[in-house]
Amino acid sequence: MIKIFILLGNILPPPLNKYFYKFAGVKFKNIKKCWIGMFNHIDNYDPSMIFIGENVCISYKVLWVTHFDPTKSIKNHIIKSYKKEIVVEDDVFVGAGSILCPGIILKKNSFISTGSVVKSNVEPYEIVEGNPAKKIGYLENK
């Protein structure tokens, strides 16, 4: 049933999509105070590994990956399976087409530029972009 809720969330328009993500197990600090754009793809392996804070804007076609599970064809190698949380703290913006990798924390007021591949934590007020995402500056208060 979880996979059906994730699938529906991935294809339904905002604001309906986030409610299907919640039914599947994604944790929200306040579901009414966030925006998730269309065609996000949330990993259906274990949606409870994702936490989304308040005043968060997740743009169009963001890929959320919470696990790595290599196939049996490489079982003789040292590559191990794992699953890790993705935490999006308050007041974060994630640009369209970004990829959020397992085990990251997007800290308060961070800004992820369009198309970024986030493989490590993003500090408060940091602006990151690229593959892998690198700091390019800081957000400033008005």
Side-chain angles (χ1 to χ4, degrees), residues 31-104:
I31 198 166
K32 293 179 181 178
K33 290 190 173 186
C34 72
W35 178 265
I36 300 177
M38 286 191 70
F39 304 119
N40 272 251
H41 183 83
I42 290 187
D43 193 338
N44 64 13
Y45 182 78
D46 187 355
S48 70
M49 302 289 290
I50 296 171
F51 174 81
I52 301 172
E54 285 186 331
N55 302 317
V56 169
C57 180
I58 308 295
S59 197
Y60 176 81
K61 282 194 175 180
V62 173
L63 176 62
W64 305 65
V65 183
T66 59
H67 82 290
F68 176 73
D69 191 10
T71 64
K72 295 192 185 292
S73 63
I74 58 173
K75 68 181 177 183
N76 295 327
H77 300 280
I78 60 170
I79 300 171
K80 301 288 183 198
S81 299
Y82 61 87
K83 67 178 186 174
K84 296 180 181 178
E85 290 185 330
I86 295 175
V87 176
V88 180
E89 294 183 355
D90 297 345
D91 306 309
V92 170
F93 175 83
V94 179
S98 294
I99 300 173
L100 307 179
C101 294
I104 62 165

Side-chain angles (χ1 to χ4, degrees), residues 63 96-101 112-120 122 127-136:
L63 176 62
S98 294
I99 300 173
L100 307 179
C101 294
I112 315 306
S113 189
T114 299
S116 298
V117 179
V118 184
K119 295 181 170 187
S120 59
V122 179
I127 302 169
V128 299
E129 74 175 11
N131 179 6
K134 301 247 189 261
K135 178 180 70 171
I136 61 165

